[in-house]
């Protein structure tokens, strides 16, 4: 039954821009501050205050528009979107309806079949964020934090060109990478700096007319987006098959329960009674400004992947993973610049770094260790000052505190013992204490030597070269 239907999906992606201050005032946008400590009369909607556009916000919006192949509106305006809600102090939101800053763009994604598809971008507009309601179930009340009120956003509105959850995730990943490479946002879904509203409808395969769409709000993880799309697709098909109608409405997805529920009937533009904001002048984008922003566009992932192959000669898989996260790519290049061999740097990032990031549930943008110290650690292992197991131990400390590995190795006495006389003495003791393993090895059981190497490393507290231990053991046996 479900295979007879086609899903039609468009997205509204809200991206919190990396500007240090809010869109229309000088309050900080730093994440995690105490409630209502980053506010002023402008962003709390006090009467008589006047907004002033943050130039950095305009530049970021244009940069994203250029990178997504949009036409830049040379003369744009701001509008008031009127609605009443406790987290909206002015009772309107300053946005752009009639003349958004960017229009008619698109990005290419890879489809499940391995082809390339262009997802159209209808528009990108600038707007301010609302505050945040905090529901206190213990006190049975709701509190509002206006720190987020006035935080600068761009809203990227796609065309209804996606047909599956896989295409949606590919599109979001492409947007996330483009925006990260521009430095316009960190795009951390878990902190709300990238949020997606999913507009979805279904229709019989081969039909030309769209079905009735619903909107699911503020989904903030790829997992939730995938589950919400699949859940809403099935819900709509079940309604149609039962002879019922899909209602155009806004729904909220409950990822814990795996189901959505209706919030309100879907509003259209007229419900918000838009009109031009009388306090903000039109925005005029000069040719000089466009030229300057174009000149600042960075090397994007596609170009970077090609350069890595030519310049560093590391495997395609490594290149794909490293360039898939801008901070990781920056760390890789900086470590190589400090003298790290590209493949060895790649091994540390792909292995221990990603492992610890997963364990600590942290992002590459939050890594604290410096590329210089990572290059030093690689140098210590190359010079056999420490062995690989000690290097991993030092790296775990470096991951948390960014210590200087050279100083730490000296302070903790972790240098590899290269005194063959001392090593031979320990080996003789291990051989004497493990006659059965010695007999097993001499009778042809090669694996028995692994146990003896392990016992030796244990006796040496890890401060021996496993290669040297293996060689000398074989000589003694």
């Amino acid at each position: 039954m479900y295979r007879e239907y086609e899903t039609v999906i468009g997205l509204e992606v809200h991206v919190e821009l990396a500007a240090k201050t809010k869109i229309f005032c000088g309050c900080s946008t730093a994440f995690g501050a105490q409630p209502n400590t980053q506010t002023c009369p402008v962003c709390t909607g006090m009467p008589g205050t006047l907004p002033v556009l943050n130039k950095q916000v305009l530049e970021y919006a244009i940069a994203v528009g250029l990178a997504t192949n949009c036409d830049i509106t040379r003369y744009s305006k701001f509008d008031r979107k009127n609605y009443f809600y406790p987290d909206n102090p002015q009772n309107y939101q300053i946005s752009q309806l009639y003349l958004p800053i960017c229009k008619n763009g698109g990005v290419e994604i890879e489809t499940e079949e391995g082809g390339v598809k262009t997802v159209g971008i209808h528009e990108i507009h600038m707007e301010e964020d609302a505050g945040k309601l905090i529901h206190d179930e213990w006190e049975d009340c709701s509190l509002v934090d206006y720190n987020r009120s006035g935080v600068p956003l761009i809203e990227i509105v796609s065309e209804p060109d996606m047909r599956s959850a896989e295409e949606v995730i590919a599109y979001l990943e492409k947007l996330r990478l483009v925006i990260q490479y521009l430095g316009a946002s960190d795009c951390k879904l878990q902190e709300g700096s990238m949020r997606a509203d999913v507009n979805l409808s279904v229709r019989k395969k081969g039909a030309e007319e769209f079905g009735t769409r619903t909107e699911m709000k503020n989904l903030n993880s790829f997992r939730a987006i995938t589950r919400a799309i699949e859940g809403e697709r099935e819900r709509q098909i079940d309604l149609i098959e039962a002879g019922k109608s899909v209602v155009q409405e806004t729904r909220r997805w409950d990822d814990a329960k795996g189901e959505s529920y209706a919030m309100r009937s879907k509003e259209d533009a007229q419900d918000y009674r838009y009109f031009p904001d009388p306090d903000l002048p039109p925005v005029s984008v000069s040719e000089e400004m466009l030229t300057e922003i174009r000149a600042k566009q960075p090397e994007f992932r596609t170009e970077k992947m090609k350069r890595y192959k030519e310049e560093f000669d590391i495997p395609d898989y490594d290149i794909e993973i490293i360039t898939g996260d801008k901070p990781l790519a920056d760390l890789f290049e900086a470590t190589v610049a400090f003298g790290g061999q590209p493949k060895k740097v790649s091994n540390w990032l792909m292995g221990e770094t990603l492992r610890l990031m997963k364990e600590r549930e942290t992002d590459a943008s939050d890594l604290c260790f410096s590329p210089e110290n990572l290059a030093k650690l690689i140098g210590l292992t190359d010079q056999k000052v420490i062995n690989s197991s000690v290097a991993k131990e030092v790296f775990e400390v470096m991951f948390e505190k960014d210590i200087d590995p050279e100083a730490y190795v000296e302070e903790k006495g972790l240098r590899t013992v290269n005194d063959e006389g001392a090593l031979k003495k320990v080996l003789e003791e291990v051989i004497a204490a493990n006659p059965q393993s010695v007999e097993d090895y001499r009778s042809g059981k090669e694996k028995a030597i692994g146990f003896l190497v392990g016992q030796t490393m244990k006796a040496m507290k890890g401060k021996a070269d496993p290669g040297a231990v293996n060689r000398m053991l074989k000589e003694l046996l």
Side-chain angles (χ1 to χ4, degrees):
M1 175 181 72
Y2 295 122
R3 292 180 181 177
E4 298 172 13
Y5 288 85
E6 180 180 56
T7 314
V8 178
I9 308 166
L11 295 188
E12 298 167 15
V13 179
H14 295 83
V15 177
E16 183 179 310
L17 298 176
K20 301 295 184 188
T21 56
K22 295 183 180 182
I23 186 168
F24 298 122
C25 67
C27 292
S28 171
T29 58
F31 180 79
Q34 288 296 309
N36 297 306
T37 57
Q38 296 177 170
T39 59
C40 72
V42 174
C43 57
T44 53
M46 296 298 173
T49 56
L50 286 174
V52 177
L53 177 61
N54 183 338
K55 185 183 178 185
Q56 178 71 78
V57 174
L58 175 63
E59 290 174 348
Y60 278 147
I62 292 172
V64 174
L66 291 173
T68 52
N69 307 299
C70 290
D71 298 327
I72 307 302
T73 307
R74 301 294 290 273
Y75 183 83
S76 66
K77 291 183 178 181
F78 284 97
D79 306 292
R80 289 187 182 181
K81 177 182 181 181
N82 296 277
Y83 67 94
F84 301 92
Y85 207 65
D87 64 3
N88 184 26
Q90 304 142 299
N91 289 325
Y92 61 83
Q93 178 191 33
I94 301 176
S95 183
Q96 292 186 303
L97 176 68
Y98 301 110
L99 292 171
I101 189 65
C102 311
K103 296 179 75 174
N104 304 325
V107 296
E108 290 186 343
I109 62 168
E110 291 186 10
T111 63
E112 298 165 74
E113 296 77 27
V116 175
K117 175 179 182 175
T118 298
V119 176
I121 291 176
H122 178 73
E123 68 176 61
I124 301 175
H125 58 259
M126 298 176 284
E127 63 184 23
E128 60 182 346
D129 207 348
K132 181 181 180 181
L133 282 176
I134 299 163
H135 305 291
D136 188 333
E137 294 182 8
W138 183 259
E139 295 289 341
D140 192 26
C141 67
S142 293
L143 306 173
V144 63
D145 177 9
Y146 287 122
N147 280 352
R148 203 171 69 182
S149 179
V151 164
L153 302 176
I154 51 171
E155 182 174 341
I156 305 169
V157 183
S158 82
E159 299 290 356
D161 290 340
M162 289 160 278
R163 298 292 178 264
S164 67
E166 289 77 15
E167 288 188 3
V168 166
I169 300 305
Y171 169 73
L172 287 170
E173 284 279 20
K174 187 65 173 281
L175 284 184
R176 183 181 67 85
L177 278 173
V178 165
I179 295 166
Q180 275 190 348
Y181 269 79
L182 285 167
S185 174
D186 57 24
C187 292
K188 291 182 178 179
L189 277 78
Q190 71 275 18
E191 291 184 6
S193 57
M194 185 177 186
R195 313 189 289 273
D197 299 342
V198 176
N199 289 281
L200 184 149
S201 65
V202 297
R203 64 184 176 186
K204 286 277 190 178
K205 286 185 177 176
E208 292 186 8
E209 287 190 13
F210 291 149
T212 303
R213 66 187 171 94
T214 60
E215 180 181 28
M216 287 177 288
K217 300 288 286 186
N218 290 340
L219 298 162
N220 60 2
S221 77
F222 289 158
R223 176 182 180 274
I225 290 165
T226 300
R227 282 164 50 84
I229 287 170
E230 295 300 331
E232 181 61 12
R233 165 185 159 80
E234 292 181 9
R235 187 189 75 85
Q236 290 190 19
I237 293 172
D238 289 342
L239 283 173
I240 294 168
E241 287 291 317
K244 299 177 182 178
S245 298
V246 176
V247 177
Q248 183 173 333
E249 62 189 358
T250 299
R251 300 182 67 83
R252 182 170 292 281
W253 174 255
D254 187 326
D255 202 46
K257 295 180 180 178
E259 60 186 37
S260 66
Y261 58 89
M263 292 171 61
R264 57 183 181 269
S265 61
K266 179 73 177 116
E267 303 92 341
D268 289 316
Q270 62 266 25
D271 296 313
Y272 291 116
R273 302 182 312 283
Y274 280 94
F275 65 86
D277 192 294
D279 293 336
L280 283 160
V283 178
S284 181
V285 178
S286 67
E287 189 60 44
E288 290 75 19
M289 176 181 263
L290 274 181
T291 301
E292 186 178 329
I293 294 172
R294 277 197 189 97
K296 291 179 181 176
Q297 296 287 83
E299 175 189 52
F300 288 106
R301 188 191 187 193
T302 304
E303 295 80 31
K304 195 177 286 289
M305 290 177 75
K306 183 179 178 182
R307 179 170 64 83
Y308 278 20
K309 187 67 179 173
E310 295 171 353
E311 186 175 335
F312 301 124
D313 193 29
I314 58 177
D316 291 341
Y317 180 73
D318 294 29
I319 292 171
E320 187 174 343
I321 298 296
I322 291 170
T323 60
D325 203 327
K326 175 66 161 45
L328 207 60
D330 290 342
L331 180 59
F332 170 78
E333 292 189 38
T335 306
V336 171
F338 274 110
Q341 294 181 36
K343 180 52 183 164
K344 290 182 178 178
V345 176
S346 172
N347 288 345
W348 275 97
L349 294 181
M350 300 279 290
E352 289 302 294
T353 303
L354 291 182
R355 179 183 70 81
L356 290 172
M357 283 171 58
K358 185 176 181 180
E359 281 183 11
R360 310 292 199 276
E361 296 183 344
T362 189
D363 292 317
S365 59
D366 298 322
L367 293 175
C368 72
F369 63 87
S370 68
E372 182 179 9
N373 282 338
L374 179 56
K376 284 182 181 180
L377 183 64
I378 292 170
L380 290 172
T381 55
D382 285 349
Q383 296 155 24
K384 298 191 181 301
V385 175
I386 55 175
N387 60 40
S388 59
S389 60
V390 170
K392 290 177 182 178
E393 176 189 327
V394 174
F395 182 74
E396 288 220 22
V397 180
M398 200 169 83
F399 188 91
E400 297 290 345
K401 301 177 183 176
D402 192 31
I403 46 94
D404 182 322
E406 293 175 349
Y408 185 82
V409 165
E410 295 301 327
E411 179 189 337
K412 300 295 182 181
L414 297 175
R415 278 178 168 268
T416 298
V417 175
N418 292 315
D419 183 339
E420 290 204 359
L423 180 56
K424 184 178 180 182
K425 183 180 179 183
V426 173
L427 286 169
E428 288 170 344
E429 291 172 358
V430 169
I431 289 169
N434 296 277
Q436 184 60 53
S437 295
V438 171
E439 185 181 333
D440 288 345
Y441 176 73
R442 284 174 172 162
S443 62
K445 295 180 181 177
E446 288 286 333
K447 289 184 179 179
I449 202 167
F451 175 77
L452 296 172
V453 169
Q455 292 300 105
T456 306
M457 294 299 293
K458 185 177 178 181
M460 297 291 291
K461 296 181 180 178
K463 295 186 288 183
D465 177 6
V469 171
N470 202 298
R471 175 179 55 78
M472 288 184 69
L473 256 176
K474 288 180 177 180
E475 289 173 0
L476 289 169
L477 291 172

